[in-house]
Amino acid sequence: MKKEQTKETKLSFLEQFGYFSGDFGGSLVNLYISAFYVTFCNYVLGISPAWMASLIFVAKIWDAINDPMIGSLPDRFKIGKGSDKFKPWVKIFMVPLALTGLLCFTDTTSFPSVIKHAWVAVSYILYGMAYTGVSMPYGAMASVITDSPVERTRLSRARAFGGMGVGILFIPVVSLAIWDDAGNPKASGYFLMAIVAGVLSIIFYLLLVNLTKERIHQEHRFVGDNAPKYSLGHVVKEAFTNRALIAVMIASVGSMFASAQSMNNYLFKEYYHMPKAMAASSFISLPMMFLAFFAVPHLAKIVGNRKLIIYSAAYSIVAFAILYLVRIPNCYVFMFVNSIANLGLTAFTMLVWALVTESIDYQEYKSGERSDGTMYSIYTFSRKIGSAAAASLSTALIGTAGFVAGAAEQSPAFGENIRKLVILMPLFGAVVILVSIWLVYPLTKNKSEEMYEKLHKIHSANNSNEKEAIAEDINSAELEVENV
């Protein structure tokens, strides 16, 4: 592994903003579709929640399966003239991602039923593949921008605020465009917001590739001149011996349930009867966002990422349990209390990407092997599985809660059921996060510091024999710990 020497050990604000832009750009399309595609298909196209639940489940499972295939491309093939490993793949997929958003929100009301359903299915599957193509290299890029744990935490924070920024600045505004004054859906508004999301997505991806720098260039995937060649099967097998990665994968499945957004539209429309009120959520959530921006990295530095996530998840469990038991009749008060409860989950959202890169480093620490793109795609496989389960289950529960597609009005019982489901989903997610990070994740603050100290010795070694000797010492020490 070859690291570009630079006088700057601290990433500049512009580079952190560049990395933020990558997630902001992807989330513009991804979160828009995640939050509003089901309501578009239910209210505008008249497609039943049960059918959409089946589609989402099948599409997400396929998406999870192709993650390692697409994610391993940067490890297997080098494209472009420069030394960059991941940026060229971002450039290839960013325009197709924007176009799939337009396909998803095209008004096909007048189409025959079979063609309309086929259009919805194909558009959604193409969107998933395009998003995989751009999100895989973007996510893995953090490990080659810097190898400093502190700077990677800053990159994780930047990435987290990319998605959170879209959730606060863009998603609430959508509600103003897609509902008329009488609370009826506007197909043209959905398509217009898809155009806005697509154009802005491309602009922010261009900021990513121009403001960030890949400093760490890999000459050998494995330690030693006689190391085996790249094998997808081998890397996958090694990944499932990585306890840190397994813990983060389980926790991320929980986070997908915690962040399921499609139900919120039904909550404000059917329980509070104020569908446009969702636009105010950005003003209510913004102070919490700034509080987390400054507090989470500072607290993580003091107690470590693992402990902070454990404490924060426990806090959210208590907060959501209280919110479930106490009905709040005013929607704006509910937004405020809900944002306070979500503060605990925000800590995981901000730190998870640092845990992912730490897990990739842990694989190198354990085995001397490193395949960033493939390892990252294996992690995202779990996110897609969790997303498939959360999205399809939440969509199916909408039907179970009493939603009737095409009905002029929904029953009051449906509104109350949605209120409960909107709270139970993040409550369940917080429990999964707490259990997995507390009981499975092995890297405490001290263990992490020890790992990076030894990895630094490997990266600073003068020749492959010396690297192999250090790696063997590490493996022996790890084996002793596991035996104990």
Side-chain angles (χ1 to χ4, degrees), residues 359-380:
S359 299
I360 295 174
D361 293 333
Y362 186 59
Q363 188 65 32
E364 181 184 7
Y365 174 76
K366 279 168 48 62
S367 65
E369 303 175 359
R370 190 177 189 93
S371 292
D372 304 71
T374 309
M375 289 289 291
Y376 179 80
S377 68
I378 293 170
Y379 159 71
T380 60

Side-chain angles (χ1 to χ4, degrees), residues 175-186 275-276:
S175 61
L176 299 177
I178 64 174
W179 305 104
D180 62 19
D181 293 336
N184 300 312
K186 295 194 299 183
K276 290 189 175 184

Side-chain angles (χ1 to χ4, degrees), residues 318-386:
V318 174
F320 280 115
I322 295 173
L323 189 59
Y324 178 83
L325 296 172
V326 180
R327 290 183 179 87
I328 299 178
N330 185 286
C331 71
Y332 299 110
V333 176
F334 173 83
M335 289 181 197
F336 176 74
V337 176
N338 189 56
S339 64
I340 294 176
N342 266 301
L343 268 177
L345 295 173
T346 300
F348 178 80
T349 302
M350 291 180 61
L351 297 173
V352 61
W353 305 110
L355 296 188
V356 173
T357 51
E358 190 173 63
S359 299
I360 295 174
D361 293 333
Y362 186 59
Q363 188 65 32
E364 181 184 7
Y365 174 76
K366 279 168 48 62
S367 65
E369 303 175 359
R370 190 177 189 93
S371 292
D372 304 71
T374 309
M375 289 289 291
Y376 179 80
S377 68
I378 293 170
Y379 159 71
T380 60
F381 174 87
S382 68
R383 287 179 66 88
K384 296 295 176 64
I385 293 295

Side-chain angles (χ1 to χ4, degrees), residues 28 31 108 124 137 156 207 238 253 291 301 334 349 354 420 422:
L28 280 163
L31 291 185
T108 58
Y124 190 72
S156 181
L207 289 173
E238 288 296 314
V253 171
L291 175 63
K301 190 174 181 180
F334 173 83
T349 302
K420 293 177 179 178
V422 165

Side-chain angles (χ1 to χ4, degrees), residues 271-293:
Y271 184 78
Y272 288 111
H273 305 291
M274 298 175 64
K276 290 189 175 184
M278 191 175 173
S281 63
S282 60
F283 299 102
I284 294 173
S285 301
L286 202 57
M288 306 300 171
M289 180 178 176
F290 279 111
L291 175 63
F293 181 85

Side-chain angles (χ1 to χ4, degrees), residues 96-419:
L97 174 63
L99 293 176
T100 57
L102 303 183
L103 293 176
C104 284
F105 290 100
T106 297
D107 184 6
T108 58
T109 307
S110 61
F111 290 15
S113 179
V114 173
I115 297 178
K116 177 171 64 176
H117 283 71
W119 182 287
V120 168
V122 172
S123 299
Y124 190 72
I125 291 172
L126 288 177
Y127 141 72
M129 295 181 69
Y131 183 64
T132 297
V134 76
S135 64
M136 292 294 100
Y138 164 71
M141 192 190 302
S143 63
V144 298
I145 291 177
T146 177
D147 60 358
S148 165
V150 174
E151 296 307 310
R152 284 181 175 178
T153 299
R154 290 193 174 98
L155 288 180
S156 181
R157 177 181 65 178
R159 174 169 187 172
F161 273 92
M164 291 168 64
V166 171
I168 290 176
L169 301 176
F170 179 74
I171 295 300
V173 177
V174 173
S175 61
L176 299 177
I178 64 174
W179 305 104
D180 62 19
D181 293 336
N184 300 312
K186 295 194 299 183
S188 59
Y190 281 99
F191 190 76
L192 174 63
M193 297 311 293
I195 295 175
V196 173
V199 172
L200 290 176
S201 175
I202 294 173
I203 292 173
F204 277 94
Y205 272 127
L206 290 174
L207 289 173
L208 165 71
V209 298
N210 285 285
L211 294 179
T212 57
K213 187 175 184 179
E214 295 188 22
R215 294 178 176 82
I216 303 171
H217 308 296
Q218 213 167 27
E219 294 175 336
H220 301 287
R221 291 187 175 88
F222 306 121
V223 173
D225 296 331
N226 299 320
K229 299 296 182 181
Y230 174 85
S231 167
L232 176 60
H234 173 75
V235 176
V236 172
K237 182 180 178 181
E238 288 296 314
F240 283 94
T241 66
N242 186 331
R243 187 174 165 185
L245 184 64
I246 291 172
V248 180
M249 290 168 69
I250 297 172
S252 293
V253 171
S255 74
M256 293 297 100
F257 282 87
S259 61
Q261 296 190 34
S262 60
M263 288 185 177
N264 291 337
N265 300 292
Y266 299 91
L267 175 72
F268 290 110
K269 178 170 171 54
E270 305 298 344
Y271 184 78
Y272 288 111
H273 305 291
M274 298 175 64
K276 290 189 175 184
M278 191 175 173
S281 63
S282 60
F283 299 102
I284 294 173
S285 301
L286 202 57
M288 306 300 171
M289 180 178 176
F290 279 111
L291 175 63
F293 181 85
F294 293 104
V296 170
H298 179 69
L299 293 174
K301 190 174 181 180
I302 296 173
V303 303
N305 294 341
R306 179 178 174 273
K307 275 190 177 180
L308 180 57
I309 290 173
I310 291 172
Y311 297 154
S312 300
Y315 159 81
S316 280
I317 291 171
V318 174
F320 280 115
I322 295 173
L323 189 59
Y324 178 83
L325 296 172
V326 180
R327 290 183 179 87
I328 299 178
N330 185 286
C331 71
Y332 299 110
V333 176
F334 173 83
M335 289 181 197
F336 176 74
V337 176
N338 189 56
S339 64
I340 294 176
N342 266 301
L343 268 177
L345 295 173
T346 300
F348 178 80
T349 302
M350 291 180 61
L351 297 173
V352 61
W353 305 110
L355 296 188
V356 173
T357 51
E358 190 173 63
S359 299
I360 295 174
D361 293 333
Y362 186 59
Q363 188 65 32
E364 181 184 7
Y365 174 76
K366 279 168 48 62
S367 65
E369 303 175 359
R370 190 177 189 93
S371 292
D372 304 71
T374 309
M375 289 289 291
Y376 179 80
S377 68
I378 293 170
Y379 159 71
T380 60
F381 174 87
S382 68
R383 287 179 66 88
K384 296 295 176 64
I385 293 295
S387 178
S392 59
L393 179 61
S394 62
T395 304
L397 287 174
I398 290 170
T400 305
F403 181 85
V404 180
E409 293 184 3
Q410 304 297 326
S411 68
F414 173 70
E416 172 59 21
N417 291 335
I418 282 296
R419 183 197 74 84

